[in-house]
Amino acid sequence: MTDDWDRVDTGAPDPDIMARVRTVAEDYEPLVTSSEFDNPLNPEAVHLHLDDGIERKSGRFDVTWTTKGYYRYHYTEGDDFNYRYDCHPRVELPDPHFHEPPQAAHDDAVPSCIEVRTVRLVTLAVLQLWRDTVETGDLRQLQQPNPP
């Protein structure tokens, strides 16, 4: 899953902001069953484990926020189902963009329906879009015209 994220200066991962993401997710979404940093000493992402999924019985968000205010919310249910909400510079798209399932490939990116930029609101929007999709089974819910 190569993306422009690796090609531009997005800044270093910010552990304090990622800790806020974890707190918001745990406070808001009861299906977040556990969370941890990928590396406690030098974290690059926080993993949010979910006790439900879109195509499987569970899923996980891997979330990175950087010191420059860019983010990546990568949702995965293994190798066969992935999508991402990203916000970082990209030549042909706005900074906030969405990589569509099932592969979340570089060429699958479209403008994101999430227009807010604060940690709390982005996290809440991502989780609500996920929950709407889990409850309906409709992948179009991931990119609602009027997001939460």
Side-chain angles (χ1 to χ4, degrees), residues 13-22 37 43-46 63-65:
D14 189 322
D16 293 332
I17 294 175
M18 292 186 293
R20 286 197 330 230
V21 167
R22 179 177 58 192
F37 285 111
E44 293 191 18
V46 61
V63 182
T64 302
W65 272 81

Side-chain angles (χ1 to χ4, degrees), residues 44-109:
E44 293 191 18
V46 61
H47 301 300
L48 307 173
H49 300 272
L50 299 149
D51 198 21
D52 205 345
I54 295 169
E55 294 192 346
R56 295 190 181 174
K57 294 185 186 240
S58 63
R60 183 183 78 231
F61 277 104
D62 299 329
V63 182
T64 302
W65 272 81
T66 72
T67 55
K68 291 189 173 187
Y70 297 118
Y71 63 78
R72 172 173 46 199
Y73 286 72
H74 173 209
Y75 179 78
T76 185
E77 291 179 6
D79 292 337
D80 297 328
F81 189 81
N82 294 272
Y83 66 85
R84 262 188 351 264
Y85 295 97
D86 285 358
C87 181
H88 61 81
R90 192 139 171 189
V91 173
E92 71 282 9
L93 291 168
D95 287 359
H97 54 276
F98 176 70
H99 294 267
E100 298 180 305
Q103 294 303 316
H106 175 76
D107 294 337
D108 292 339

Side-chain angles (χ1 to χ4, degrees), residues 92-133:
E92 71 282 9
L93 291 168
D95 287 359
H97 54 276
F98 176 70
H99 294 267
E100 298 180 305
Q103 294 303 316
H106 175 76
D107 294 337
D108 292 339
V110 297
S112 177
C113 68
I114 299 174
E115 297 176 358
V116 294
R117 296 296 282 267
T118 65
V119 173
R120 181 177 180 279
L121 292 179
V122 171
T123 302
L124 291 173
V126 167
L127 290 170
Q128 188 62 53
L129 292 165
W130 170 82
R131 180 171 273 282
D132 291 348
T133 305

